[in-house]
Amino acid sequence: MPVHHAAVQATDSDVDRAVRRILGSSSLRPGQREAIDAALARDTLAVLATGTGKSLVYRVVGAIRGGLTVVLCPTLSLQMDQLAALEQGGRPAVAINSAQSSRARRSAIASISDGEAGFALLAPEQLAHPEIAE
């Protein structure tokens, strides 16, 4: 069952502060502001080319919205790179993928269920599992 979240009213200065905190500067690449604004207003699928800064988009939105931010990462190597970057950012992040042990998977799901995880990185095929969708 899909989970929908209420829109978050964030000012330009809220977004700029979050960008500076995460990136160290306030300059955004083309398309990032639009994707951030869309994701703050409603559940969003943002498709941007490689190297355009998708990770900054979801990190800013997650910082402003709070709660759990679900990120679909198509490859395990990208998922691990993003997980490492998020761990440096201060909000707990977990990954769920086919390379994990059952124990690691259960631990990640528990972290999400308990509200401890700020980000969940999933391979797209994980959404086909009822326990993950729930």
Side-chain angles (χ1 to χ4, degrees):
M1 173 186 326
V3 176
H4 299 284
H5 301 281
V8 173
Q9 297 298 324
T11 65
D12 286 345
S13 60
D14 293 332
V15 173
D16 291 338
R17 273 193 301 276
V19 170
R20 275 194 303 277
R21 188 173 56 246
I22 293 166
L23 190 61
S25 75
S26 60
S27 63
L28 292 171
R29 294 179 182 165
Q32 286 179 315
R33 173 64 79 159
E34 293 85 355
I36 290 168
D37 290 343
L40 288 171
R42 62 196 163 282
D43 291 341
T44 300
L45 171 64
V47 180
L48 301 169
T50 300
T52 58
K54 291 178 287 294
S55 63
L56 179 67
V57 170
Y58 70 74
R59 289 176 69 187
V60 168
V61 171
I64 293 172
R65 272 191 141 184
L68 180 67
T69 299
V70 177
V71 180
L72 298 180
C73 292
T75 65
L76 294 181
S77 61
L78 176 60
Q79 202 177 81
M80 294 303 107
D81 289 347
Q82 294 300 319
L83 188 60
L86 286 166
E87 287 174 351
Q88 295 175 350
R91 287 193 68 211
V94 297
I96 299 176
N97 59 56
S98 60
Q100 289 176 308
S101 67
S102 295
R103 182 177 179 182
R105 182 184 182 91
R106 283 192 307 272
S107 176
I109 292 170
S111 182
I112 293 168
S113 297
D114 295 343
E116 296 171 4
F119 293 93
L121 303 173
L122 307 174
E125 65 272 10
Q126 294 300 316
L127 295 176
H129 298 283
E131 69 183 324
I132 302 300
E134 185 180 314

